[in-house]
Every structure is written in C-alpha cells, then in structure tokens.
Amino acid sequence: MAVSVFDLFSIGIGPSSSHTVGPMRAAGRFVAALAADGVLGDVSRLRVELFGSLGATGAGHGTPGAVVLGLEGFDPETVDPTAARARVEAVGSEHRLLLPDGHAIEFDTTDDIVLSLQAMDFHSNGMVFTALHGDGSTLARRVYYSVGGGFVVDEDEAAAGTRDDDTELPFPFRTGTELVGLADETHCSIADLVTSNEEALGNGARLRDGLLGIWAAMRECVDRGLQTGGTLPGALRVRRRAHALADALESDPSDPLYAMDWVTVYALAVNEENAAGGRVVTAPTNGAAGIIPAVLHYYWRFVPGATEDRVVEFLLTAAAIGQLFKANASISGAEVGCQGEVGSACSMAAAGLAAVLGGTPAQVENAAEIGIEHNLGLTCDPVGGLVQIPCIERNAVASVKAIVAARMALAGDGTHHVSLDTAIKTMRETGADMAEKYKETSLGGLALNVVEC
C-alpha cells in the first residue's frame, strides 16, 4: 500500500482532523476544481451541506469555520491559527466570502452551511458542495468524505474503493504478519522497510529532515501547551491543566512516578492546544494527537542515549503500524469510535517506543498489539461536541498505556497469543457493531449523561 508516513503525520490545526482539517481540505479541493475548470469566476453563491457526524458535532469541532477557510484557499498546514480565527469571524459578521481568484460573494454561514444528522452511505463524514450561478442554477456539485486523519476522498475515489497511490513498493505489506516476515527475511528493521518504501514514493531526499520537522512541530506544540493557562473555548469552560501541572512537577523531581507524570503533562499540553484550535501534528488524528508526542518526549527526556536518528526510527515504525490500521480497519472516530483514534495512536506509539528501545520486529508487533487490544470498544462520545471531555484525559491515559505496552513486549521474546492482525480485525468488527450514537455524534455515552454547565 502506498500511504506515506507524511500522510499519517501532517501538520494542521485543531480541534479535529476529520471535522476541521478534512473539511478545510475538501473545501479547498472544491474551489481548486472550479478554478481548474475555468468557472470559479462565474460563482455567485456557494452552498455546503454537512452530513452525519459532521452535522452532529461540526459546530463544536469548528467545521463551519474550516469550510470557510478552505473555500477562501487556506491550507491547514500553513494557515496561522490566530489569523484563521479572525478571518472566520470576519466572514461571519460581514457575510462575504473572498474566493481564491479575488472575487467576493455573499455568504452567510448560518444559511449557506447546512448541518444534517442524516448519514451518507459511504462514510458518516459526508459533505456536498454546490456552486451556483447568479440565476440560482447549479454550476457545479461535488461530494467529499472526510475519512479520518485529515484524509479526504471525493465521490469518484469512494466509488473506486481507494485513493492510494499505485506506486510499486519494494516491500509491500498489508498485514502485521507480512511486515514482521519481511523484516525477518531481509534482516532489516521495520523502519528500514518503511524507509525503502518512502524512497520509492519519492520521499527519500526529504525523509529524515521531514520527520525531524514533524518532531520539531510536536515539541513546539508541547511548549505552547505548557506555557498557556486559562480555559478552553466553548460552553464547557474546561480549565487548561498542563501549565500548572508542569510547574508543580518541577518543584518535586523526587517523586517515583516523576517520568510518568511528565508523560501525562505532555499529552495534556498537546490536546489542550488542539482543543483551542492551535497548530498540532495529526498523529494519526487530531483527537489522538497527544499520544505519540508524549511518548516521544518520554523517550527523548528519560531514556539515556536518545538521538535524532532514533526519533526518526520511532516515527517510521509507528507509521508502519498506522498503515495497517488504515488499510484494514479505520482511524476515524465517526466510523469505528475512539478505538480507531486513541487506540491506533496508542498502538503506534507502543511500537515506536519498542523499536527505539531495541525491540525485535516480533516484539514491536507485540507492543502494537497490546496497545490496541486494551483500547478495543472505546467509544467516541465528546461532551458538547467538543474535543475536550473525555478526549484530553484519554490521550494522557493512552500515552502511559503505550509505554507499559512497549515494556511488556520487551520483557518477552515476541511470542504472544493474539496477533496484531487479529486485534485490528476485531477493532473493525467492533466498530461495525457499535451503535451510531457512540461514534462521534455526541448522542450517547458521556455526551448524553454529562450536564453541559
């Protein structure tokens, strides 16, 4: 399969990869298609319909604002979060949208963006974009789906069943068994195999620097989270805790759980930044963006001899596991619940840590399996449609769980009863059986039982 490490780890803005980053990219693709067809200048009105999970929790996830930014030509990787918020507010108050070719149209976010609880057939996160002539006739119409992790497919790609690159890879794998088998046969690490595949995808020259850039963005996100106090946006008024907890930790480094407490703080810092709409690394989603950075910070700060080369190895190994989840199940909370987001990120982080601590391919696969097995069945039920409760704390718990999973795997020889492939298959089946109200609709679970006050 040809999903790149840079697909699984991309820089964007919060609070959601599927509800913020994906819709922004879809809106951008729509106006780019209009421009390519030479009809962007003929657009007098735009109408956007958001279905399913996007309709149910889009308001709390910033989806309408993300659509506005995409229609104006902004990209989630490069847009400044502060400037983005100001631009969304301006469009909301002025009711005018500035399209990428420079011409403005009337646009009322309350009327021209429609939220619907009805789910579309292919995926819960469906979007329909319609461009209209001045006389009200349809100029163009396009359907897109935000399928998790910021990935977007249009209706043609959905019908074809894949959007993956058809590049022939030197080490193709679709299962954990194949991955470990390739590593054993070639006497290579999992990271080595992924490196060869990335070279085939044309990413060889930028691979190391690009991944270190991802690591730098993770560190910057943590630093911002540690420096910022106050409360998060939204009616819940959730207090940011990372800043105060970090100060308290600095005053007592003798605590026997000092390192684990820092892991918790690192995860909180990232997910508080994400909930505030800040710049984060999708890893592999925004809702689970704190887990891999927290475990990487644990490695960097508390494991003697940590190096940048090992950081690259960590991310490459984690990406291999992420590719398996994306190919064989899902990383979308709207599709399989939070097991697809926090569960996959926990598994990826456990595998990455096991690798840089000297684990064999079999031990790495075992760590990944432990990481997902004990997140099976995890629902996605954000209170108030906000990526705050239980999402922020859930990242902290899963970060510690990933470290435990890696250490358990390294204590053995890689032999275990439940394979990663079996666990991923189980995750997919569990997601299919899960009631829709537990899949990022805020219609069940904590979202139903917690009073928003």
Side-chain angles (χ1 to χ4, degrees), residues 276-326:
R279 186 172 302 286
V280 299
V281 174
T282 301
T285 67
N286 282 30
I291 298 167
I292 288 173
V295 177
L296 258 178
H297 273 77
Y298 164 78
Y299 164 73
W300 188 255
R301 180 171 179 180
F302 295 106
V303 175
T307 66
E308 288 185 341
D309 285 342
R310 289 291 192 181
V311 169
V312 171
E313 180 182 5
F314 183 114
L315 292 172
L316 290 168
T317 306
I321 303 304
Q323 289 168 351
L324 294 175
F325 279 99
K326 192 167 187 316

Side-chain angles (χ1 to χ4, degrees), residues 51-417:
F51 292 91
S53 178
L54 293 177
T57 63
H61 286 65
T63 309
V67 167
V68 165
L69 293 169
L71 292 175
E72 291 205 329
F74 290 98
D75 181 82
E77 184 168 349
T78 57
V79 66
D80 176 76
T82 302
R85 285 190 288 272
R87 188 62 203 139
V88 170
E89 291 172 3
V91 173
S93 61
E94 298 168 5
H95 305 306
R96 287 179 66 78
L97 192 72
L98 185 64
L99 295 177
D101 66 348
H103 92 273
I105 63 171
E106 291 186 10
F107 191 83
D108 188 334
T109 54
T110 59
D111 293 333
D112 294 320
I113 298 179
V114 180
L115 305 178
S116 172
L117 296 181
Q118 177 185 350
M120 302 182 77
D121 290 338
F122 177 72
H123 194 281
S124 179
N125 293 334
M127 297 163 277
V128 177
F129 292 82
T130 306
L132 303 170
H133 286 287
D135 62 4
S137 61
T138 298
L139 179 66
R141 181 183 182 275
R142 200 68 181 163
V143 178
Y144 296 93
Y145 302 93
S146 179
V147 296
F151 289 85
V152 172
V153 297
D154 65 23
E155 54 197 319
D156 294 332
E157 293 158 349
T162 181
R163 186 175 179 265
D164 289 351
D165 191 311
D166 59 1
T167 302
E168 184 174 343
L169 302 178
F171 298 109
F173 59 88
R174 196 172 179 88
T175 68
T177 299
E178 290 175 355
L179 178 61
V180 173
L182 282 170
D184 289 342
E185 290 168 13
T186 59
H187 304 290
C188 291
S189 68
I190 290 173
D192 289 335
L193 300 179
V194 177
T195 296
S196 295
N197 287 345
E198 290 293 326
E199 289 171 349
L201 292 172
N203 294 325
R206 71 176 181 123
L207 187 59
R208 187 177 189 276
D209 287 346
L211 290 176
L212 291 179
I214 292 294
W215 169 226
M218 289 178 174
R219 297 199 311 274
E220 290 165 4
C221 182
V222 166
D223 289 343
R224 287 193 304 273
L226 295 180
Q227 294 166 11
T228 309
T231 57
L232 295 170
L236 298 178
R237 304 295 294 168
V238 171
R239 180 171 54 90
R240 297 180 70 140
R241 288 175 286 175
H243 175 67
L245 288 173
D247 285 348
L249 276 175
E250 291 288 12
S251 67
D252 184 20
S254 63
D255 189 311
L257 288 178
Y258 182 72
M260 290 299 99
D261 284 344
W262 269 111
V263 171
T264 296
V265 169
Y266 292 139
L268 293 177
V270 172
N271 286 89
E272 287 171 356
E273 276 297 292
N274 178 61
R279 186 172 302 286
V280 299
V281 174
T282 301
T285 67
N286 282 30
I291 298 167
I292 288 173
V295 177
L296 258 178
H297 273 77
Y298 164 78
Y299 164 73
W300 188 255
R301 180 171 179 180
F302 295 106
V303 175
T307 66
E308 288 185 341
D309 285 342
R310 289 291 192 181
V311 169
V312 171
E313 180 182 5
F314 183 114
L315 292 172
L316 290 168
T317 306
I321 303 304
Q323 289 168 351
L324 294 175
F325 279 99
K326 192 167 187 316
N328 299 308
S330 175
I331 58 173
S332 169
E335 192 170 16
V336 295
C338 197
Q339 58 175 356
E341 297 199 34
V342 162
S344 61
C346 179
S347 179
M348 292 165 67
L353 182 61
V356 298
L357 293 181
T360 65
Q363 289 172 318
V364 169
E365 184 266 354
N366 188 11
E369 186 280 323
I370 296 170
I372 183 55
E373 182 181 336
H374 303 289
N375 283 291
L376 291 174
L378 196 60
T379 60
C380 185
D381 51 355
V383 176
L386 300 168
V387 190
Q388 297 179 14
I389 299 172
C391 320
I392 296 172
E393 288 182 354
R394 189 169 282 176
N395 274 254
V397 173
S399 299
V400 174
K401 187 181 292 187
I403 295 171
V404 173
R407 292 177 65 87
M408 288 179 66
L410 292 172
D413 63 1
T415 303
H416 53 109
H417 288 286

